[in-house]
Amino acid sequence: MALWIRAVFLGFLTFVRTVNGEDAVDCVLGGSCILPCSFPPGGEVVLYWIQVATGNTIHYFYNNQDQVELQDQHFRGRTSLFKDQISRGNASLRLTGVQIQDQGRYRCYTSNKPGTKESFSNLNVYAPVRKVDIRQLENRITCSSEGIYPEPTLTWTTKPPFNETLQNQTTVQQTEQQLYSISSFLVASAPGLDYSCTVSTRVSQRRATWSLPTNISGSRTETTIRCRSSEGPPTGLIWRFNHSQIILNQTGTDYTTSEDWKKHVKSSSESGILTLKDLSSSQEGIYSCELSDAEETYSSFFLRLEGSPDSHNNVAEIAGWVIVVFVVCGLIAAAIFKLKYKKRKKNSQPNGQTSEEHEMNPLNGQKTEEDK
């Protein structure tokens, strides 16, 4: 059974679990961490910290000063004590630039006039899940995250809940730096569902939600699209076009617009409302928003531009030209047909007579006296 405690040491906040009578401390990779240790104060103290697995001394304090020459090289320059607190019984150790290799069990030994004391701390290093990316490519929805430690897990859920099991394929890889990356994809098997992907470890997790594209109509003159609101206070907002092209990046009320979109962005609110202006057909496509809080929520829209006076004029103009072309072509075809018809009729009668002249001639079809 583990008991969580929150300890504050001179402004440093750390979370400590007590497991079987020993402290277990979770430390962020690359950050600073405090291994707690206390003893009954009184008189001059000898204090040292040892890494149990290697037996190496990582910090040694004697005669009111650090004995750096006895410190293991791996920890050189990365450890310190709270010296103004030692006389009050605080032997806690601050470790900076935490590395995965620092994981393990540590022994704190103190000796002074009241006696000797030792305690143990178990240091666990983790790289939190900082970002989860979720995308849709055709009918596949993909989810990925990287730079994680320890090994993460990935789960899919839908809203509303889907009765059938979500068939997915998940891959986990580890880099030379021992950090993990994880990716997964599934086939969008039911319409009208929001797909959520959660990447988690024992100490951290984040979730991204993908809403299937919704058709909306907009004007070329001005169009407003809204991102789905987050569950908590938003900490950041990113708008993208066709998944990859960033429109703007926003923190609070301040936002930075990419160079290609400056002339099209009229305003953007902290709650996720984007107003665009002066659009053309090249801005028709998928608009997605990434609204961040404790999780990252993605909503997507397909924007179909219509209702613009310019667009109606263009359509009318094109339609007019099409009608003119059809009329001209029809007249030309009719004239050609009429000429061919007359020529064919004329050539089909003897002596070049027309059909009417041929019928009115009384000699047609009869022999003359000379023929007899």
Side-chain angles (χ1 to χ4, degrees), residues 34-337:
I34 298 173
L35 301 178
C37 180
S38 62
F39 63 95
E44 186 176 344
V45 63
V46 175
L47 186 162
Y48 59 86
W49 280 87
I50 296 175
Q51 190 178 37
V52 175
T54 61
N56 295 329
T57 298
I58 66 171
H59 201 97
Y60 185 41
F61 181 83
Y62 171 67
N63 198 21
N64 289 322
Q65 63 182 357
D66 298 323
Q67 306 297 324
V68 182
E69 67 278 2
L70 298 177
Q71 186 180 38
D72 181 73
Q73 185 65 34
H74 177 71
F75 294 94
R76 187 68 58 87
R78 297 199 296 128
T79 63
S80 61
L81 301 171
F82 301 99
K83 293 182 180 179
D84 59 341
Q85 298 288 313
I86 293 176
S87 61
R88 287 182 267 174
N90 184 3
S92 299
L93 180 77
R94 183 189 181 197
L95 177 64
T96 62
V98 174
Q99 305 172 16
I100 293 179
Q101 294 84 352
D102 295 339
Q103 288 190 120
R105 193 167 181 240
Y106 291 81
R107 175 188 177 216
C108 172
Y109 175 87
T110 58
S111 177
N112 61 353
K113 187 175 181 180
T116 61
K117 182 184 177 182
E118 67 177 8
S119 61
F120 294 90
S121 294
N122 291 280
L123 189 154
N124 302 297
V125 179
Y126 72 97
V129 184
R130 299 185 183 276
K131 184 176 179 60
V132 177
D133 289 312
I134 192 168
R135 296 285 185 271
Q136 183 178 6
L137 181 61
E138 295 179 349
N139 65 336
R140 279 189 175 188
I141 299 177
T142 63
C143 176
S144 62
S145 187
E146 60 184 8
I148 308 167
Y149 191 88
E151 184 175 349
T153 59
L154 187 151
T155 56
W156 289 94
T157 55
T158 64
K159 186 177 181 180
F162 190 49
N163 294 331
E164 300 178 17
T165 302
L166 295 173
Q167 300 296 328
N168 64 88
Q169 182 174 328
T170 302
T171 304
V172 180
Q173 295 179 327
Q174 191 173 22
T175 65
E176 294 181 358
Q177 293 76 30
Q178 301 184 50
L179 297 177
Y180 289 92
S181 62
I182 191 168
S183 62
S184 180
F185 73 85
L186 55 73
V187 176
S189 52
L193 295 179
D194 289 348
Y195 290 84
S196 293
C197 166
T198 302
V199 178
S200 58
T201 65
R202 180 179 55 82
V203 292
S204 70
Q205 76 171 33
R206 288 184 75 83
R207 183 172 73 247
T209 301
W210 178 260
S211 299
L212 294 180
T214 303
N215 290 333
I216 64 173
S217 300
S219 166
R220 295 173 187 262
T221 305
E222 185 174 309
T223 292
T224 298
I225 51 180
R226 182 188 300 269
C227 186
R228 193 179 68 178
S229 60
S230 61
E231 297 181 0
T235 59
L237 171 65
I238 298 176
W239 278 99
R240 287 187 175 90
F241 177 65
N242 286 341
H243 306 307
S244 58
Q245 188 179 144
I246 293 180
I247 300 173
L248 62 82
N249 197 326
Q250 182 168 346
T251 302
T253 57
D254 299 326
Y255 61 87
T256 303
T257 308
S258 66
E259 198 65 34
D260 293 338
W261 285 87
K262 282 185 177 180
K263 62 181 179 181
H264 300 302
V265 175
K266 182 176 181 180
S267 64
S268 177
S269 71
E270 186 178 2
S271 60
I273 300 176
L274 176 66
T275 302
L276 302 171
K277 63 179 182 178
D278 302 331
L279 303 176
S280 65
S281 57
S282 60
Q283 280 83 49
E284 182 177 277
I286 297 291
Y287 287 79
S288 58
C289 67
E290 173 185 325
L291 193 61
S292 303
D293 49 25
E295 64 183 40
E296 296 182 0
T297 301
Y298 295 72
S299 299
S300 64
F301 309 87
F302 179 78
L303 179 60
R304 182 178 64 255
L305 298 174
E306 62 182 30
S308 166
D310 292 340
S311 64
H312 286 308
N313 292 338
N314 292 337
V315 171
E317 184 178 353
I318 294 172
W321 279 108
V322 170
I323 292 173
V324 170
V325 171
F326 269 106
V327 170
V328 172
C329 291
L331 292 174
I332 294 173
I336 293 173
F337 177 81

